[in-house]
PDB file of all heavy atoms in Angstrom:
ATOM      1  N   ASN C 131      83.797  87.984  96.522  1.00  0.00           N
ATOM      2  CA  ASN C 131      84.922  87.083  96.272  1.00  0.00           C
ATOM      3  C   ASN C 131      85.738  87.527  95.064  1.00  0.00           C
ATOM      4  O   ASN C 131      86.969  87.451  95.070  1.00  0.00           O
ATOM      5  CB  ASN C 131      84.407  85.653  96.055  1.00  0.00           C
ATOM      6  CG  ASN C 131      83.895  85.023  97.335  1.00  0.00           C
ATOM      7  OD1 ASN C 131      84.253  85.452  98.428  1.00  0.00           O
ATOM      8  ND2 ASN C 131      83.043  84.026  97.212  1.00  0.00           N
ATOM      9  N   ALA C 142      99.906  89.814  93.965  1.00  0.00           N
ATOM     10  CA  ALA C 142     100.844  88.775  94.374  1.00  0.00           C
ATOM     11  C   ALA C 142     101.634  88.230  93.184  1.00  0.00           C
ATOM     12  O   ALA C 142     102.858  88.050  93.273  1.00  0.00           O
ATOM     13  CB  ALA C 142     100.100  87.633  95.072  1.00  0.00           C
ATOM     14  N   LEU C 148     108.205  89.917  89.725  1.00  0.00           N
ATOM     15  CA  LEU C 148     109.243  90.951  89.707  1.00  0.00           C
ATOM     16  C   LEU C 148     110.430  90.553  90.574  1.00  0.00           C
ATOM     17  O   LEU C 148     111.593  90.689  90.156  1.00  0.00           O
ATOM     18  CB  LEU C 148     108.638  92.270  90.198  1.00  0.00           C
ATOM     19  CG  LEU C 148     109.583  93.469  90.267  1.00  0.00           C
ATOM     20  CD1 LEU C 148     110.179  93.789  88.897  1.00  0.00           C
ATOM     21  CD2 LEU C 148     108.842  94.683  90.832  1.00  0.00           C
ATOM     22  N   ILE C 149     110.152  90.060  91.779  1.00  0.00           N
ATOM     23  CA  ILE C 149     111.232  89.655  92.684  1.00  0.00           C
ATOM     24  C   ILE C 149     112.027  88.495  92.095  1.00  0.00           C
ATOM     25  O   ILE C 149     113.265  88.499  92.109  1.00  0.00           O
ATOM     26  CB  ILE C 149     110.653  89.262  94.064  1.00  0.00           C
ATOM     27  CG1 ILE C 149     109.982  90.473  94.734  1.00  0.00           C
ATOM     28  CG2 ILE C 149     111.751  88.700  94.960  1.00  0.00           C
ATOM     29  CD1 ILE C 149     110.901  91.636  94.998  1.00  0.00           C
ATOM     30  N   MET C 153     115.996  88.335  90.981  1.00  0.00           N
ATOM     31  CA  MET C 153     116.908  87.410  91.656  1.00  0.00           C
ATOM     32  C   MET C 153     117.547  86.419  90.691  1.00  0.00           C
ATOM     33  O   MET C 153     118.740  86.135  90.780  1.00  0.00           O
ATOM     34  CB  MET C 153     116.161  86.664  92.766  1.00  0.00           C
ATOM     35  CG  MET C 153     115.727  87.543  93.923  1.00  0.00           C
ATOM     36  SD  MET C 153     114.746  86.642  95.147  1.00  0.00           S
ATOM     37  CE  MET C 153     115.916  85.412  95.708  1.00  0.00           C
ATOM     38  N   LEU C 166     111.546  76.339  85.493  1.00  0.00           N
ATOM     39  CA  LEU C 166     110.705  75.626  86.457  1.00  0.00           C
ATOM     40  C   LEU C 166     109.528  76.487  86.898  1.00  0.00           C
ATOM     41  O   LEU C 166     108.405  75.989  87.059  1.00  0.00           O
ATOM     42  CB  LEU C 166     111.539  75.202  87.671  1.00  0.00           C
ATOM     43  CG  LEU C 166     112.620  74.151  87.401  1.00  0.00           C
ATOM     44  CD1 LEU C 166     113.470  73.931  88.651  1.00  0.00           C
ATOM     45  CD2 LEU C 166     111.993  72.833  86.951  1.00  0.00           C
ATOM     46  N   VAL C 203     101.549  69.327 108.047  1.00  0.00           N
ATOM     47  CA  VAL C 203     100.937  69.752 109.316  1.00  0.00           C
ATOM     48  C   VAL C 203     101.011  68.638 110.353  1.00  0.00           C
ATOM     49  O   VAL C 203     101.377  68.864 111.513  1.00  0.00           O
ATOM     50  CB  VAL C 203      99.468  70.181 109.076  1.00  0.00           C
ATOM     51  CG1 VAL C 203      98.735  70.376 110.402  1.00  0.00           C
ATOM     52  CG2 VAL C 203      99.405  71.468 108.269  1.00  0.00           C
ATOM     53  N   TRP C 213      91.028  72.012 104.050  1.00  0.00           N
ATOM     54  CA  TRP C 213      91.369  73.395 103.766  1.00  0.00           C
ATOM     55  C   TRP C 213      90.363  74.114 102.893  1.00  0.00           C
ATOM     56  O   TRP C 213      90.029  75.278 103.142  1.00  0.00           O
ATOM     57  CB  TRP C 213      92.754  73.459 103.109  1.00  0.00           C
ATOM     58  CG  TRP C 213      93.812  72.811 103.928  1.00  0.00           C
ATOM     59  CD1 TRP C 213      94.367  71.571 103.739  1.00  0.00           C
ATOM     60  CD2 TRP C 213      94.441  73.337 105.112  1.00  0.00           C
ATOM     61  NE1 TRP C 213      95.296  71.298 104.725  1.00  0.00           N
ATOM     62  CE2 TRP C 213      95.368  72.365 105.569  1.00  0.00           C
ATOM     63  CE3 TRP C 213      94.313  74.534 105.817  1.00  0.00           C
ATOM     64  CZ2 TRP C 213      96.153  72.563 106.710  1.00  0.00           C
ATOM     65  CZ3 TRP C 213      95.101  74.732 106.946  1.00  0.00           C
ATOM     66  CH2 TRP C 213      96.001  73.750 107.383  1.00  0.00           C
ATOM     67  N   LEU C 244     113.567  94.314  82.796  1.00  0.00           N
ATOM     68  CA  LEU C 244     114.724  94.625  83.652  1.00  0.00           C
ATOM     69  C   LEU C 244     116.026  94.611  82.850  1.00  0.00           C
ATOM     70  O   LEU C 244     116.921  95.427  83.087  1.00  0.00           O
ATOM     71  CB  LEU C 244     114.810  93.614  84.803  1.00  0.00           C
ATOM     72  CG  LEU C 244     113.759  93.760  85.915  1.00  0.00           C
ATOM     73  CD1 LEU C 244     113.825  92.594  86.882  1.00  0.00           C
ATOM     74  CD2 LEU C 244     113.971  95.071  86.676  1.00  0.00           C
ATOM     75  N   LEU C 257     127.836 104.142  92.224  1.00  0.00           N
ATOM     76  CA  LEU C 257     128.867 105.157  92.531  1.00  0.00           C
ATOM     77  C   LEU C 257     128.362 106.194  93.524  1.00  0.00           C
ATOM     78  O   LEU C 257     129.137 106.752  94.313  1.00  0.00           O
ATOM     79  CB  LEU C 257     129.317 105.849  91.240  1.00  0.00           C
ATOM     80  CG  LEU C 257     130.119 104.980  90.256  1.00  0.00           C
ATOM     81  CD1 LEU C 257     130.371 105.732  88.959  1.00  0.00           C
ATOM     82  CD2 LEU C 257     131.434 104.532  90.889  1.00  0.00           C
ATOM     83  N   THR C 286      94.711  90.952  85.830  1.00  0.00           N
ATOM     84  CA  THR C 286      93.417  91.400  86.345  1.00  0.00           C
ATOM     85  C   THR C 286      92.275  90.963  85.435  1.00  0.00           C
ATOM     86  O   THR C 286      91.237  90.474  85.891  1.00  0.00           O
ATOM     87  CB  THR C 286      93.404  92.935  86.495  1.00  0.00           C
ATOM     88  OG1 THR C 286      94.384  93.325  87.462  1.00  0.00           O
ATOM     89  CG2 THR C 286      92.034  93.428  86.955  1.00  0.00           C
ATOM     90  N   MET C 299      87.592  72.913  91.934  1.00  0.00           N
ATOM     91  CA  MET C 299      87.970  72.734  93.341  1.00  0.00           C
ATOM     92  C   MET C 299      86.769  72.661  94.276  1.00  0.00           C
ATOM     93  O   MET C 299      86.707  71.800  95.166  1.00  0.00           O
ATOM     94  CB  MET C 299      88.889  73.868  93.773  1.00  0.00           C
ATOM     95  CG  MET C 299      90.235  73.892  93.066  1.00  0.00           C
ATOM     96  SD  MET C 299      91.298  72.492  93.508  1.00  0.00           S
ATOM     97  CE  MET C 299      91.760  72.898  95.195  1.00  0.00           C
ATOM     98  N   GLY C 302      81.938  76.362  93.661  1.00  0.00           N
ATOM     99  CA  GLY C 302      81.270  77.495  94.282  1.00  0.00           C
ATOM    100  C   GLY C 302      80.744  77.241  95.681  1.00  0.00           C
ATOM    101  O   GLY C 302      80.115  78.123  96.277  1.00  0.00           O
ATOM    102  N   PHE C 318      73.677  77.066  82.319  1.00  0.00           N
ATOM    103  CA  PHE C 318      73.764  75.694  81.831  1.00  0.00           C
ATOM    104  C   PHE C 318      73.395  74.626  82.856  1.00  0.00           C
ATOM    105  O   PHE C 318      73.490  73.443  82.558  1.00  0.00           O
ATOM    106  CB  PHE C 318      75.186  75.414  81.332  1.00  0.00           C
ATOM    107  CG  PHE C 318      75.634  76.369  80.267  1.00  0.00           C
ATOM    108  CD1 PHE C 318      76.641  77.290  80.511  1.00  0.00           C
ATOM    109  CD2 PHE C 318      75.036  76.364  79.018  1.00  0.00           C
ATOM    110  CE1 PHE C 318      77.048  78.179  79.531  1.00  0.00           C
ATOM    111  CE2 PHE C 318      75.434  77.242  78.032  1.00  0.00           C
ATOM    112  CZ  PHE C 318      76.446  78.160  78.287  1.00  0.00           C
ATOM    113  N   ASP C 323      68.814  79.361  83.154  1.00  0.00           N
ATOM    114  CA  ASP C 323      68.065  80.623  83.138  1.00  0.00           C
ATOM    115  C   ASP C 323      68.974  81.626  82.447  1.00  0.00           C
ATOM    116  O   ASP C 323      69.801  82.276  83.081  1.00  0.00           O
ATOM    117  CB  ASP C 323      67.717  81.069  84.558  1.00  0.00           C
ATOM    118  CG  ASP C 323      66.760  82.265  84.571  1.00  0.00           C
ATOM    119  OD1 ASP C 323      66.908  83.150  83.698  1.00  0.00           O
ATOM    120  OD2 ASP C 323      65.867  82.315  85.439  1.00  0.00           O
ATOM    121  N   ALA C 328      72.811  86.019  81.744  1.00  0.00           N
ATOM    122  CA  ALA C 328      73.233  87.162  80.923  1.00  0.00           C
ATOM    123  C   ALA C 328      73.461  88.406  81.776  1.00  0.00           C
ATOM    124  O   ALA C 328      74.366  89.195  81.518  1.00  0.00           O
ATOM    125  CB  ALA C 328      72.183  87.445  79.858  1.00  0.00           C
ATOM    126  N   MET C 342      89.684  98.581  80.033  1.00  0.00           N
ATOM    127  CA  MET C 342      89.808  98.846  78.599  1.00  0.00           C
ATOM    128  C   MET C 342      90.058 100.332  78.345  1.00  0.00           C
ATOM    129  O   MET C 342      90.897 100.705  77.527  1.00  0.00           O
ATOM    130  CB  MET C 342      88.532  98.394  77.875  1.00  0.00           C
ATOM    131  CG  MET C 342      88.310  96.893  77.893  1.00  0.00           C
ATOM    132  SD  MET C 342      86.691  96.437  77.198  1.00  0.00           S
ATOM    133  CE  MET C 342      86.831  97.126  75.554  1.00  0.00           C
ATOM    134  N   ASN C 345      93.616 101.205  79.207  1.00  0.00           N
ATOM    135  CA  ASN C 345      94.539 100.696  78.188  1.00  0.00           C
ATOM    136  C   ASN C 345      94.528 101.563  76.931  1.00  0.00           C
ATOM    137  O   ASN C 345      95.578 101.844  76.338  1.00  0.00           O
ATOM    138  CB  ASN C 345      94.179  99.250  77.817  1.00  0.00           C
ATOM    139  CG  ASN C 345      94.821  98.237  78.743  1.00  0.00           C
ATOM    140  OD1 ASN C 345      95.884  98.485  79.285  1.00  0.00           O
ATOM    141  ND2 ASN C 345      94.167  97.116  78.940  1.00  0.00           N
TER     142      ASN C 345
END
Side-chain angles (χ1 to χ4, degrees):
N131 289 339
L148 179 59
I149 296 299
M153 293 176 62
L166 293 174
V203 169
W213 304 102
L244 287 172
L257 291 174
T286 297
M299 295 292 289
F318 303 112
D323 189 322
M342 294 173 59
N345 274 331

